[in-house]
Amino acid sequence: MTATAGGPSLPQERRVVTAIPGPKSQKLQARRNAAVAAGVGSVLPVFTTRAGGGIVEDADGNALIDFGSGIAVTSVGNSAEAVVRRASAQLADFTHSCFMVTPYEGYVEVCEELARLTPGDHAKKSALFNSGAEAVENAVKIARSYTGRQAVVVFDHGYHGRTNLTMALTSKNMPYKHSFGPFAPEVYRVPVAYPYRWLTGPENCAEEAAAQAIDMISKQVGAENVAAIVIEPLLGEGGFIEPAKGFLPRIARFAQDNGIVFVADEIQSGFCRTGQWFACEDEGVVPDLITTAKGIAGGLPLSAVTGRAEIMDAAHSGGLGGTYGGNPVACAAALGAIETMREQDLCAKARRIEEIMKPRLTALQEKHAHDGPVRIGDVRGRGAMLAIELVKPGGKEPDPAATAALAKACHSEGLLVLTTGTYGNVMRFLPPLVIGEDLLNEGLDILEGALSSL
């Protein structure tokens, strides 16, 4: 077999030539076990050699359909042409100067793009970092500096990172927080509008959840003490929960009325993933600050905090930054990713993915609604950020064992899928936005077969 380059030239066809993982991946896994800390996990121990479009190829020559995008990172496809072109040119010029020492145009260009793309027509500024957790942590720093307050409010099922502060903000214990405390103080958690699991029904979810959250903030914290409310407009690691309509605008209004900085964490949901540039646009919510990462740079490490200029300017000079934040090569890649999103209208591509996937997932839900050992309790999400929640027959008890078994069955047939959720019972679908419809349907065929086999 002749080796081909990755990126757009990689053949877009599934190919399973060995057991998964195959012998070469197993040998590499043995080396990994000897050299890499055990705390660094992997969903599937196949070692990637090439990737592009909707395909990930491993060391044994297996070509897997990609329904994960490196956790919503390679939305424009691996090694997208504009990303490689711009990053390669920057590599040839210089790899680093540190923006805090001698600045460069690419950093400024990314900030200008973010001002154009993020919701709202107010004056905006940005600061660039390396990871989503860094972006969230710096958003909190900025909000505290601006308001002179300390408390931060977050929500049930929320995920915001693995640093000390963002672990405190994150709702789920295992694997993110277990044994790593103590955590940062002045963090308060309130209910989120989770329609599928709201006790009085989804029709009451938005109003009741917002009322409960606001009541808890007012009575237990004091609105006058809250620097920031931080929320994912479409929750990621907590289970791809789409808050009931009306919840986000109500929380945003409460923040505005009480001088609280409203922070939209769009690290997983941003950059065309939900069929809009940013998920908060769905209900017209304009955040004070927005954090981005993952899909921003086509696979290179980059993140940002973007927001109202007067809030972003609150931190003192030198208070924000980091040696690698806004690395010039990552900035070039981001400009290439944004170019691709615009030219290929990836918002429309995400909506088309939903048009194909959601009806088929709903049909599977109906097929597996009552009988058999596996039951799909809920189908949810928007664009190319979709999920199914698996529950045990006869109720809504989470079924993480069935979810793990389903993922394993998909992996063995060459479909790369990811699980998620506070209860470990959600399978999420994050295909690259450039995936071909033939691969998309083939992947759904594999999912259907795997469900039937359990």
Side-chain angles (χ1 to χ4, degrees), residues 165-177:
L165 174 58
T166 56
M167 280 192 295
L169 302 179
T170 290
S171 182
K172 188 175 180 180
N173 174 53
M174 183 63 83
Y176 307 118
K177 303 167 70 170

Side-chain angles (χ1 to χ4, degrees), residues 1 115 121 124 152-153 168 231 250-251 275 317-318 342 359 364 370 375 381 389 398 446 449:
M1 182 174 60
D121 56 6
K124 301 172 200 165
V152 181
V153 172
I231 189 168
R250 177 112 182 252
I251 298 298
S317 179
R342 279 203 183 100
L364 285 177
H370 304 291
R375 178 169 171 250
E389 179 166 355
I446 293 170

Side-chain angles (χ1 to χ4, degrees), residues 78-270:
N78 254 293
S79 300
E81 184 277 330
V83 172
V84 172
R85 168 170 42 84
R86 286 180 178 255
S88 298
Q90 181 58 56
L91 275 167
D93 288 338
F94 63 96
T95 56
H96 176 75
S97 74
C98 184
F99 193 77
M100 299 181 300
V101 178
T102 57
Y104 36 89
E105 186 178 4
Y107 188 116
V108 177
E109 285 186 279
V110 171
C111 294
E112 290 170 339
E113 286 283 19
L114 288 166
R116 281 189 283 266
L117 293 171
T118 51
D121 56 6
H122 50 275
K124 301 172 200 165
K125 292 187 177 183
S126 295
L128 305 183
F129 306 97
N130 301 291
S131 69
E134 278 188 80
V136 173
E137 189 141 339
N138 277 278
V140 170
K141 287 164 58 178
I142 292 163
R144 283 173 166 167
S145 183
Y146 178 72
T147 62
R149 306 170 181 178
Q150 294 184 342
V152 181
V153 172
V154 289
F155 293 81
D156 287 340
H157 306 287
Y159 175 86
H160 301 287
R162 296 175 184 259
T163 60
N164 187 265
L165 174 58
T166 56
M167 280 192 295
L169 302 179
T170 290
S171 182
K172 188 175 180 180
N173 174 53
M174 183 63 83
Y176 307 118
K177 303 167 70 170
H178 180 71
S179 78
F180 296 144
F183 303 114
E186 287 298 312
V187 173
Y188 301 88
R189 197 173 316 281
V190 297
V192 75
Y194 188 167
Y196 179 64
R197 294 197 171 274
W198 198 254
L199 291 177
T200 61
E203 67 277 6
N204 301 313
C205 183
E207 182 178 345
E208 291 181 0
Q212 286 185 26
I214 290 169
D215 185 65
M216 290 175 67
I217 296 167
S218 301
K219 290 179 179 175
Q220 297 182 23
V221 188
E224 68 278 7
N225 296 316
V226 179
I229 293 175
V230 184
I231 189 168
E232 302 162 275
L234 203 163
L235 281 71
E237 305 301 311
F240 278 35
I241 300 163
E242 185 175 7
K245 299 298 183 189
F247 178 79
L248 282 174
R250 177 112 182 252
I251 298 298
R253 283 196 302 273
F254 172 77
Q256 183 179 27
D257 291 345
N258 289 277
I260 300 167
V261 177
F262 183 80
V263 182
D265 179 344
E266 293 255 15
I267 285 157
Q268 190 160 173
S269 60

Side-chain angles (χ1 to χ4, degrees), residues 29-105:
Q29 181 68 11
R31 288 172 53 191
R32 171 213 164 109
N33 289 341
V36 179
V40 181
S42 293
V43 170
L44 179 60
V46 299
F47 281 72
T48 303
T49 55
R50 282 172 290 275
I55 291 291
V56 173
E57 188 175 304
D58 73 8
D60 291 282
N62 298 300
L64 285 67
I65 299 174
D66 184 9
F67 273 17
S69 300
I71 316 184
V73 169
T74 54
S75 297
V76 297
N78 254 293
S79 300
E81 184 277 330
V83 172
V84 172
R85 168 170 42 84
R86 286 180 178 255
S88 298
Q90 181 58 56
L91 275 167
D93 288 338
F94 63 96
T95 56
H96 176 75
S97 74
C98 184
F99 193 77
M100 299 181 300
V101 178
T102 57
Y104 36 89
E105 186 178 4

